[in-house]
């Protein structure tokens, strides 16, 4: 293959681990792309993709959508894609030219991944994809928009604002009572003033700060910038949890598929100063919010396939079902509850999805 290969993983930690291993074991050009790398590093990788240079780019969902990445001959997915839509989107990044079909390879690394991948491929054959649900009447989003209106327009009548909000599809069914309840809460916490007699509202002193400190519905996670003291550039970021657990001078960790040694941590500017190092044991960082949910239909198919394997109607590469030393297995109709008398934990095996 003379063009880049995309190697998708489900988590940033997994991508870092694979990239670091591949760099140790192969002479191929290995690049990395995920959301916790700096913009400069990501753009460098995107330029390599557009140039068509051969090699492997290990990536996460950061390369799924919205980027012109040129011609890619092959997409490899490491582990279960978890969702039909994700697999179709990721494999669909390959062979973007006329009269060609997308080309992909899935490598499973556990029995559960093999069952889940087979379930997803079966759903694709049957044109079954996850339902894309719209989150209706998200009242925190409504509160934010109402504050934004007050900042832009000053004093606003309830009738005017209510008509505007109802034009948005997710708020098409919101009642006037629900609308006014949000305004009451904003009034109680001193962000807006809400006059029920005149049926008008306007901003208070705290409105500006509230609006610009809550621009996203994604939870705010404190991050530390990682600064390469030799290359003199930011290479990425680490979550506060990892820094708190493992971050001390001398700690060696992996970022951009390379090993780095912490020199010092500047708590005030939230910056970790590092230098590159080779030949040490890898410590892969962990980040918040990495799990991809599996829907009910996929989980039920996994249960069905377990049942078919148990009764000899389906062959799989893994032998996990045949090696179980009890007759009942968790399948599409059976929940198995497991416990150990010396342990206070209980494990519930159920094919319900996440």
């Amino acid at each position: 293959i003379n063009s880049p290969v995309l190697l998708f993983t489900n988590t940033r930690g997994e991508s870092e681990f694979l990239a670091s291993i591949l760099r140790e074991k192969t002479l191929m050009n290995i690049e990395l792309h995920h959301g916790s790398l700096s913009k400069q590093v990501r753009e460098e990788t995107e330029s390599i993709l557009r140039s068509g240079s051969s090699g492997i780019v290990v990536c996460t969902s950061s390369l799924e959508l919205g980027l012109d990445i040129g011609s890619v001959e092959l997409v490899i997915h490491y582990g279960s894609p978890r969702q039909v839509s994700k697999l179709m989107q990721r494999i669909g990044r390959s062979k973007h030219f006329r009269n060609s079909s997308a080309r992909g390879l899935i490598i499973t690394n556990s029995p559960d991944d093999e069952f889940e991948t087979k379930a997803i491929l079966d759903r694709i054959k049957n044109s079954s994809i996850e339902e894309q649900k719209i989150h209706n009447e998200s009242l925190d989003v409504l509160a934010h928009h109402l504050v934004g209106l007050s900042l832009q327009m000053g004093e606003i009548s309830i009738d005017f604002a209510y008509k505007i909000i109802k034009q948005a599809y997710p708020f098409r069914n919101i009642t006037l009572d629900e609308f006014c309840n949000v305004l009451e809460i904003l009034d109680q916490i001193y962000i807006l003033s809400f006059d029920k007699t005149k049926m008008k509202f306007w901003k208070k002193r705290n409105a500006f700060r509230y609006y610009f400190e809550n621009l996203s519905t994604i939870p705010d996670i404190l991050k530390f910038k990682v600064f390469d003291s030799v290359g003199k550039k930011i290479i990425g970021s680490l979550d506060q949890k990892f820094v708190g657990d493992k971050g001390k001078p001398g700690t060696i960790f992996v970022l951009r598929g390379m090993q780095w040694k912490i020199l010092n941590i500047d708590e005030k500017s939230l910056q970790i100063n590092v230098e590159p190092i080779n030949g040490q044991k890898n410590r892969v960082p962990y980040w918040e919010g990495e799990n991809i949910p599996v829907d009910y239909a996929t989980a039920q198919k996994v249960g069905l396939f377990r049942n078919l394997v148990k009764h000899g109607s389906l062959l799989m590469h893994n032998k996990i079902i045949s090696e179980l030393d009890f007759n009942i297995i968790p399948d599409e109709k059976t929940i198995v509850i497991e416990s150990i008398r010396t342990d206070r934990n209980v494990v519930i095996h159920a094919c319900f999805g996440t």
Side-chain angles (χ1 to χ4, degrees):
I1 296 176
N2 296 318
S3 66
V5 172
L6 290 182
L7 173 52
F8 275 102
T9 68
N10 288 328
T11 68
R12 285 164 281 184
E14 208 166 49
S15 69
E16 288 286 354
F17 175 74
L18 284 176
S20 64
I21 294 297
L22 287 169
R23 279 188 168 146
E24 286 179 16
K25 304 293 184 183
T26 179
L27 296 176
M28 292 179 69
N29 181 35
I30 306 297
E31 298 296 334
L32 190 58
H33 194 289
H34 62 69
S36 288
L37 295 174
S38 69
K39 183 180 179 183
Q40 180 183 347
V41 169
R42 295 197 309 270
E43 287 178 345
E44 288 171 5
T45 301
E46 290 160 22
S47 295
I48 291 169
L49 277 169
R50 282 192 289 270
S51 72
S53 302
S54 62
I56 297 176
V57 176
V58 186
C59 56
T60 62
S61 55
S62 61
L63 275 184
E64 261 182 38
L65 297 164
L67 289 172
D68 176 16
I69 56 172
S71 176
V72 173
E73 280 285 321
L74 174 67
V75 171
I76 301 172
H77 200 291
Y78 181 76
S80 164
R82 310 285 283 172
Q83 294 177 349
V84 175
S85 54
K86 280 207 171 289
L87 179 60
M88 293 174 70
Q89 180 62 41
R90 291 176 175 185
I91 299 297
R93 297 301 266 167
S94 68
K95 299 182 82 76
H96 276 197
F97 36 85
R98 187 177 295 179
N99 299 324
S100 294
S101 298
R103 185 181 178 197
L105 172 68
I106 304 171
I107 300 171
T108 58
N109 54 7
S110 72
D112 280 340
D113 270 9
E114 187 184 355
F115 275 107
E116 206 168 87
T117 299
K118 184 166 181 60
I120 288 168
L121 291 172
D122 192 68
R123 289 188 67 183
I124 290 174
K125 288 177 185 175
N126 293 315
S127 302
S128 169
I129 194 168
E130 294 88 7
E131 182 184 355
Q132 306 301 310
K133 294 182 180 178
I134 293 174
H135 192 143
N136 288 310
E137 295 183 27
S138 181
L139 299 183
D140 57 334
V141 173
L142 173 59
H144 191 260
H145 278 292
L146 292 174
V147 174
L149 275 174
S150 72
L151 290 172
Q152 183 178 5
M153 303 181 68
E155 187 177 279
I156 304 169
S157 73
I158 301 300
D159 183 59
F160 174 78
Y162 183 60
K163 284 179 180 176
I164 286 179
I165 295 298
K166 277 186 69 78
Q167 288 179 53
Y169 184 82
F171 295 99
R172 67 198 181 282
N173 295 322
I174 193 166
T175 65
L176 186 58
D177 283 343
E178 291 169 331
F179 185 86
C180 289
N181 286 341
V182 172
L183 285 170
E184 281 187 27
I185 292 170
L186 291 169
D187 182 79
Q188 289 166 10
I189 57 178
Y190 307 106
I191 292 173
L192 293 180
S193 286
F194 175 33
D195 189 327
K196 295 181 186 176
T197 306
K198 295 181 179 179
M199 289 298 278
K200 291 184 177 182
F201 67 94
W202 57 93
K203 68 185 182 210
K204 282 186 177 178
R205 188 171 57 184
N206 293 332
F208 186 88
R209 182 174 180 179
Y210 162 82
Y211 186 82
F212 286 101
E213 285 186 353
N214 295 278
L215 290 173
S216 173
T217 55
I218 299 170
D220 192 24
I221 298 166
L222 194 63
K223 297 180 183 294
F224 284 74
K225 298 187 295 290
V226 180
F227 180 74
D228 176 5
S229 299
V230 176
K232 304 297 181 187
K233 66 178 182 180
I234 301 291
I235 54 172
S237 64
L238 296 174
D239 283 2
Q240 182 187 27
K241 180 170 175 52
F242 178 77
V243 177
D245 291 346
K246 309 293 182 184
K248 58 184 180 181
T251 295
I252 295 165
F253 65 95
V254 175
L255 191 62
R256 202 187 179 184
M258 300 163 62
Q259 294 175 334
W260 305 91
K261 180 181 178 181
I262 296 178
L263 300 176
N264 56 67
I265 300 173
D266 187 338
E267 299 275 356
K268 196 171 273 188
S269 62
L270 298 178
Q271 181 168 301
I272 304 170
N273 297 310
V274 300
E275 65 179 5
I277 192 168
N278 290 314
Q280 301 294 316
K281 186 178 179 181
N282 292 348
R283 174 174 276 128
V284 178
Y286 39 83
W287 288 272
E288 296 288 331
E290 296 233 84
N291 291 331
I292 298 171
V294 177
D295 85 341
Y296 178 78
T298 297
Q300 285 285 286
K301 272 198 178 292
V302 167
L304 173 65
F305 290 154
R306 285 176 180 172
N307 209 336
L308 292 175
V309 169
K310 181 174 173 58
H311 291 95
S313 304
L314 179 67
L315 291 176
M316 302 284 278
H317 290 289
N318 75 79
K319 305 300 178 188
I320 190 74
I321 300 298
S322 60
E323 291 172 357
L324 288 174
D325 59 358
F326 51 92
N327 293 324
I328 299 172
I329 61 166
D331 58 26
E332 80 280 19
K333 295 179 180 177
T334 309
I335 300 170
V336 175
I337 301 174
E338 181 182 0
S339 67
I340 303 171
R341 288 182 181 178
T342 56
D343 193 339
R344 299 181 70 181
N345 293 324
V346 174
V347 179
I348 301 174
H349 302 271
C351 295
F352 292 160
T354 50

